[in-house]
């Protein structure tokens, strides 16, 4: 004897996908800051035991050479998309990078005699600070893009 089939209850459908507003307040790129945090913390941890100035030089090289090259490659890929209203400010980004390096150097100097492995503590702090605070502070690095339409 065949089993009777039952009609499935209708699945409620919503009004559609929720779209976020575009602007500096809603722009919170989490993945890039997570990757950057782990890269910076990893470089600091891999160079443990070296002088603080070497840490600074290697991290500044990462931040001021590799990051802009990745940004240029990403911008070329996104050139086919419509222009955004906001863009990263180079000056604000450079100041934030230098401040981050200064904080890491200061923390390394302060922790030098206080803990067994100060470089690992600073690496963990860098990773945490960039990964967690970066997306929230990202909007402070944005400026309004210049209009292409002239008078």
């Amino acid at each position: 004897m065949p089993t009777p089939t039952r009609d499935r209850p209708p699945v409620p459908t919503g009004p559609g996908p929720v779209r976020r507003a575009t602007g500096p307040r809603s722009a919170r790129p989490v993945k890039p800051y997570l990757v950057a945090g782990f890269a910076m913390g990893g470089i600091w941890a891999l160079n443990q035991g070296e002088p603080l100035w070497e840490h600074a030089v290697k991290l500044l090289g990462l931040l001021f050479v590799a990051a802009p090259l990745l940004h240029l490659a990403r911008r070329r890929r996104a050139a086919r998309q419509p222009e955004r209203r906001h863009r990263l400010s180079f000056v604000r980004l450079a100041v934030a990078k230098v401040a981050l390096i200064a904080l890491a150097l200061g923390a390394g100097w302060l922790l030098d005699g206080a803990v067994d492995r100060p470089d690992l503590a600073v690496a963990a702090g860098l990773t945490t600070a960039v990964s967690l605070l970066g997306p929230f502070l990202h909007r402070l690095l944005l400026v309004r893009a210049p209009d292409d339409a002239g008078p």
Side-chain angles (χ1 to χ4, degrees), residues 12-18:
T13 58
V18 176

Side-chain angles (χ1 to χ4, degrees), residues 48-59:
Q48 69 180 359
E50 294 188 14
L52 286 177
W53 67 269
E54 285 187 28
H55 282 292
V57 168
K58 289 177 182 176
L59 209 52

Side-chain angles (χ1 to χ4, degrees), residues 71-90:
H71 180 69
L72 286 175
R74 184 175 171 207
R75 189 178 350 167
R76 283 187 178 177
R77 233 182 331 179
R80 294 179 293 250
Q81 297 176 355
E83 189 64 31
R84 296 182 181 178
R85 293 179 14 187
H86 296 88
R87 63 177 176 81
L88 282 174
S89 168
F90 176 76

